[in-house]
Amino acid sequence: SSSEYPVLGSKEEIAYNPNRPDQAKAVESTGGWIFLLLFPLLGTAVVVLAPILFIRSSKRSQVIKNLIQIGNKVSGVIVRVKSVGGPKGRNNYKIIVSGTDNTGIVQEYTSDPVSSYADLAVIDFRKNPIPVDIYVNPIDPQRYYVDISSMPDLVSLSRDALIQLAK
């Protein structure tokens, strides 16, 4: 069935049984079939991807929890914000933090991606340094966590509030 009716006088492709010409029907376009397949395909993608993304998120949460418990806490300050792209209208950012590790060497640490208006929230970090905690794995210093969750301007303000903060 279709919600579209042909315009009087328009041409339609008709398929019929040559032995019984009274058995005929209009040939349907493939658009209807594609539309019918779209929903099951999207549903299948969600069913497959959701557990995978949930497991990845859970593993990262466990790593972060472990680093906070056993890691060496290093204090640092934000030195720059790097845009790493994102969905329309919003960018993802990584916050770059500079801190002195336990050996006395100044290192740069990169946060996990932040889906926010981070560039506005930390716009004055050069004038007013913003402290950030970093948790470094004592055995493998390449594994660390930049704790930006304590930055309320970054995680809880709306876009309008951040614009006001930037003024």
Side-chain angles (χ1 to χ4, degrees):
S1 71
S2 172
S3 61
E4 294 181 23
Y5 293 101
V7 177
L8 188 60
S10 65
K11 292 184 179 185
E12 291 280 327
E13 188 175 350
I14 305 294
Y16 67 94
N17 182 345
N19 297 329
R20 297 213 37 212
D22 61 324
Q23 294 179 341
K25 69 175 191 170
V27 176
E28 297 177 16
S29 68
T30 59
W33 286 104
I34 292 172
F35 187 72
L36 287 174
L37 290 174
L38 184 64
F39 286 108
L41 290 174
L42 288 175
T44 302
V46 168
V47 167
V48 170
L49 288 177
I52 293 169
L53 295 174
F54 177 76
I55 290 168
R56 284 181 60 196
S57 176
S58 295
K59 285 181 180 180
R60 180 63 182 154
S61 294
Q62 187 60 40
V63 167
I64 290 169
K65 183 178 176 184
N66 189 37
L67 283 169
I68 290 172
Q69 289 176 350
I70 67 155
N72 295 328
K73 185 176 176 181
V74 174
S75 293
V77 293
I78 296 176
V79 291
R80 68 182 180 277
V81 177
K82 182 171 117 179
S83 176
V84 291
K88 284 184 179 181
R90 295 184 81 174
N91 280 330
N92 288 331
Y93 298 92
K94 289 190 177 185
I95 311 281
I96 313 299
V97 177
S98 179
T100 306
D101 67 12
N102 292 335
T103 64
I105 298 173
V106 176
Q107 301 279 345
E108 283 192 350
Y109 301 93
T110 305
S111 74
D112 289 341
V114 177
S115 178
S116 175
Y117 300 94
D119 54 345
L120 297 175
V122 296
I123 200 157
D124 67 342
F125 67 88
R126 289 187 178 91
K127 294 177 192 171
N128 302 315
I130 300 173
V132 176
D133 292 332
I134 306 145
Y135 297 90
V136 182
N137 185 320
I139 298 167
D140 182 6
Q142 297 302 314
R143 295 183 56 168
Y144 58 85
Y145 169 63
V146 177
D147 187 7
I148 57 172
S149 65
S150 62
M151 297 171 57
D153 291 340
L154 182 61
V155 294
S156 65
L157 290 180
S158 69
R159 179 179 187 219
D160 294 333
L162 291 172
I163 291 170
Q164 290 300 323
L165 178 68
K167 288 183 178 180

